[in-house]
Amino acid sequence: MKIKFFDANAYIGTQMLGVYKSAATAAELLEKMDEVEIEKALVYHMAQFDYSPEEGNKMLVETMAGNKRLFGCWTLLPPQTEEVIADNFFTQMKKNRIFALNLFPVHHRFLLNGVVFGEFFKELIKRKIPLVLSMREGGATWEMLYSLLKEFPNLTCILTDLSIWGVDRYTFPLLEKYEKVYLESGVLSLHEGSFEMTVKKFGAKRLVFGTGFPEKYQEASMLHLLHSNISKTDKQKIAAGNMEKLLSEVKL
Amino acid sequence: MRNMSQLAKDIFKYGRVKDCPVYDMHGHMGSHYGIHFPTKSAEKTVKSMQAANVQKLIFSHHGSLMMRDGNSLSLKEARKFPGLLKVYCTINPNFPEVTEKDLAAFDEARHVYVGIKLLAAYHKKPITDDGYKKAWEFANKRKLFALVHTWGDNNMNGPEQIDEVARKYPDCKIFMGHSCHGEWDKAVLLANKYKNVYLELTAVPDERGPMEKFIEKAGSKKILFGTDMPWFSYHNYIGAVLGAVRKEEDLRNIFYLNAKKLLGEIGQL
């Protein structure tokens, strides 16, 4: 059985400090995906993080140019400032192939809670739109995440860029309590045995494949998944099936 | 997989290739204060090694690094699989009496010990400190390995300290664990400047770019594969190396040829 890959964590563009051989455009990213045989990807533009969510979201749409292998992920700011969330937001998402949303509350300086996002997050739950939470520096903190899920237990959250130091002590309680929390496999696959134990304890449905490209090697998480000690069916679910299912349920 | 050597394609396909073993020159074992490790014991470690055709792991037990007088934990685990597991004797300069005892008993475990391990950034004394002197002299005299945790922008075990000990102890084979992480150019300079200094890959594959630089500027003969096992998994790290290194000859040097040569030189192959 040939495993099909859907990368849930890749970005276009480069950081302002530079990243080795990043993909400046969607076309370059697709070329790199072809090289390693990754079929689809959920992508954002690094300008959404480093420069401006407002402008970066537009840059993402422009470079994706409707390509059917790429699924866009816009970056949120508080609705009250109307920088990102404005009238017809969901219609615009649909028009531009945006299937998920991310946010970086520390770097972009806002709080991640119901006061800021109450009604909006209720809408995300209703529409089953995944919220991608990067645990990288500038993203969400574990304290933020625990508080958020206490307020919105039915929010679909994909946690990405998990720490180089193993995070099972943080993630296992969340996976146990909130059934719509998913982990991206890229950095998780770094730690010997953690990936397999997560599957064994919580099921393959709670993981989505990701690479962390361009900062990480795509080949690393791919080789790990291909030869991990789980069933072939589970491998296919993680490699692409779970992500495809999540995105197919999005109502825009 | 476009642009990959046949060896890399085979590793992708089978997960392990018989004629391309892997030697892991930097590992650990046991539980840890800050991280949950599902793979803690020698038995589980060896199972993971076999899945990726890792034929040798040289390690220091977390207990030897994080508490006083813990080298016996490493020896106990290694003796369960003497052909597969070898040990670095951890030197903690805060306990000179333990260092003295461990070096005196070194020969009793000579079939398992291959050298010393220094973790200066955690033990808070630079590798040039007098507290390590006896261990350095011991390793130098016997031409042993010294696996040194190194990191960039660090005055405990940064490039400047390596420069000093490499000059002072030319017969000791010094492995720069993590290759002066972040100060990649300085690590390359040291590997080129000193015959006895090697780049070690643990934590290096976490970002794209440095490995490509090492190949280009230092050459694959000065690079050793390591994983910090169980911090980082074999297939993830092997995959990262396959992503960075295109030539089969370079892959073989990194995965096992360099390590075999070095182990042969100290009679531990």
Side-chain angles (χ1 to χ4, degrees):
Chain A
M1 180 176 73
K2 190 169 166 61
I3 302 276
K4 187 173 80 171
F5 286 96
F6 188 131
D7 185 353
N9 186 24
Y11 67 76
I12 298 164
T14 190
Q15 288 185 29
M16 62 181 167
L17 297 176
V19 173
Y20 181 80
K21 290 189 178 175
S22 55
T25 62
E28 284 182 26
L29 176 64
L30 287 162
E31 199 177 312
K32 187 62 193 165
M33 288 162 60
D34 286 342
E35 200 180 299
V36 294
E37 298 173 15
I38 290 176
E39 191 179 320
K40 299 172 188 169
L42 179 73
V43 294
Y44 66 104
H45 197 293
M46 185 35 76
Q48 293 168 223
F49 176 81
D50 259 353
Y51 163 43
S52 148
E54 194 178 353
E55 298 303 323
N57 288 347
K58 289 178 199 161
M59 290 162 77
L60 176 70
V61 169
E62 196 178 319
T63 193
M64 280 174 47
N67 189 295
K68 296 282 190 281
R69 290 172 61 194
L70 300 179
F71 298 74
C73 182
W74 271 347
T75 297
L76 293 175
L77 290 174
Q80 296 81 359
T81 61
E82 299 178 21
E83 292 163 281
V84 169
I85 301 168
D87 291 345
N88 303 319
F89 182 76
F90 297 108
T91 312
Q92 287 300 314
M93 280 181 70
K94 186 175 183 180
K95 185 183 160 198
N96 292 301
R97 290 186 55 75
I98 305 302
F99 288 82
L101 299 164
N102 63 21
L103 34 73
F104 304 97
V106 174
H107 192 55
H108 295 157
R109 301 181 62 245
F110 60 82
L111 297 180
L112 182 58
N113 60 32
V115 174
V116 181
F117 287 102
E119 291 307 309
F120 186 78
F121 280 174
K122 283 180 194 164
E123 194 66 25
L124 293 193
I125 292 166
K126 207 168 89 186
R127 292 172 180 270
K128 297 189 173 179
I129 296 172
L131 188 64
V132 180
L133 287 151
S134 170
M135 306 312 290
R136 67 187 299 149
E137 197 179 344
T141 64
W142 292 103
E143 290 82 358
M144 279 181 185
L145 184 59
Y146 269 71
S147 303
L148 175 75
L149 286 163
K150 209 170 175 185
E151 265 189 289
F152 301 97
N154 292 317
L155 199 56
T156 301
C157 291
I158 302 173
L159 312 186
T160 64
D161 305 316
L162 301 168
S163 161
I164 298 294
W165 280 51
V167 289
D168 298 345
R169 293 172 188 169
Y170 289 119
T171 56
F172 283 8
L174 292 174
L175 291 168
E176 185 180 74
K177 190 157 179 73
Y178 304 106
E179 62 180 28
K180 288 180 179 168
V181 168
Y182 299 83
L183 306 183
E184 177 250 317
S185 71
V187 180
L188 186 68
S189 76
L190 260 181
H191 312 296
E192 184 66 39
S194 282
F195 175 88
E196 284 85 350
M197 188 170 172
T198 306
V199 172
K200 196 175 169 191
K201 272 183 81 76
F202 303 103
K205 64 182 178 185
R206 308 300 294 278
L207 293 163
V208 295
F209 169 78
T211 64
F213 181 84
E215 292 170 33
K216 311 279 183 212
Y217 292 97
Q218 295 155 306
E219 294 87 345
S221 48
M222 290 178 79
L223 186 70
H224 178 271
L225 177 57
L226 287 170
H227 298 287
S228 58
N229 191 20
I230 61 173
S231 72
K232 279 189 177 173
T233 312
D234 283 349
K235 284 177 190 174
Q236 187 57 78
K237 279 184 193 166
I238 294 166
N242 294 340
M243 198 61 198
E244 285 173 337
K245 185 171 182 290
L246 276 176
L247 299 190
S248 73
E249 290 170 352
V250 172
K251 293 175 207 156
L252 292 172
Chain B
M1 291 286 167
R2 291 190 335 219
N3 305 329
M4 270 192 180
S5 64
Q6 189 55 49
L7 174 63
K9 285 178 184 169
D10 287 345
I11 293 174
F12 248 89
K13 189 169 180 184
Y14 303 111
R16 63 202 301 280
V17 171
K18 200 177 172 187
D19 83 335
C20 184
V22 176
Y23 281 51
D24 183 352
M25 303 297 276
H26 183 168
H28 302 290
M29 211 171 283
S31 55
H32 187 275
Y33 69 91
I35 303 175
H36 161 242
F37 286 125
T39 307
K40 285 186 275 230
S41 65
E43 290 77 6
K44 278 196 170 182
T45 301
V46 166
K47 210 172 162 192
S48 299
M49 290 167 66
Q50 286 165 344
N53 198 20
V54 178
Q55 292 189 0
K56 201 81 75 184
L57 166 67
I58 312 179
F59 74 98
S60 50
H61 197 284
H62 288 126
S64 76
L65 300 168
M66 305 300 177
M67 68 173 188
R68 183 185 178 275
D69 199 8
N71 280 314
S72 59
L73 295 168
S74 301
L75 296 174
K76 186 182 168 197
E77 294 301 303
R79 282 174 175 141
K80 294 177 184 169
F81 300 93
L84 297 173
L85 304 176
K86 299 283 178 190
V87 171
Y88 294 109
C89 177
T90 297
I91 304 297
N92 183 339
N94 298 304
F95 306 108
E97 72 286 2
V98 177
T99 299
E100 197 143 325
K101 172 183 75 77
D102 285 342
L103 294 180
F106 194 91
D107 285 334
E108 290 166 24
R110 191 65 184 91
H111 61 295
V112 183
Y113 272 145
V114 296
I116 57 172
K117 158 82 182 183
L118 310 187
L119 190 62
Y122 287 67
H123 296 154
K124 304 291 181 198
K125 284 188 177 164
I127 56 173
T128 49
D129 187 86
D130 275 352
Y132 297 103
K133 200 175 171 194
K134 277 189 182 163
W136 276 118
E137 286 173 353
F138 183 90
N140 191 57
K141 192 176 171 189
R142 292 163 176 246
K143 302 181 178 178
L144 297 173
F145 300 166
L147 173 63
V148 184
H149 169 94
T150 64
W151 214 260
D153 296 319
N154 185 289
N155 60 9
M156 295 287 159
N157 38 225
E160 288 72 28
Q161 288 75 41
I162 290 291
D163 199 8
E164 190 175 329
V165 296
R167 194 171 54 242
K168 221 166 170 180
Y169 306 108
D171 292 326
C172 179
K173 295 160 182 71
I174 300 172
F175 307 156
M176 293 187 289
H178 318 299
S179 297
C180 302
H181 200 280
E183 288 201 276
W184 311 117
D185 290 324
K186 287 187 180 174
V188 166
L189 280 176
L190 289 163
N192 286 334
K193 185 174 173 185
Y194 297 105
K195 198 179 160 197
N196 61 325
V197 172
Y198 292 80
L199 299 155
E200 188 278 321
L201 288 184
T202 296
V204 179
D206 302 349
E207 69 179 275
R208 289 170 66 245
M211 276 195 286
E212 289 84 343
K213 177 176 286 202
F214 291 175
I215 291 283
E216 190 194 336
K217 309 271 187 193
S220 61
K221 288 190 173 173
K222 289 307 282 283
I223 303 173
L224 300 171
F225 183 77
T227 64
D228 250 349
M229 172 77 188
W231 287 60
F232 307 126
S233 80
Y234 284 125
H235 280 123
N236 184 296
Y237 261 36
I238 291 168
V241 174
L242 299 182
V245 181
R246 294 302 176 202
K247 286 187 191 159
E248 182 171 329
E249 183 192 348
D250 291 333
L251 289 171
R252 289 185 186 276
N253 283 339
I254 293 167
F255 284 142
Y256 68 98
L257 287 174
N258 299 337
K260 277 183 86 166
K261 185 170 174 284
L262 287 162
L263 283 161
E265 285 172 12
I266 61 164
Q268 285 280 25
L269 197 54

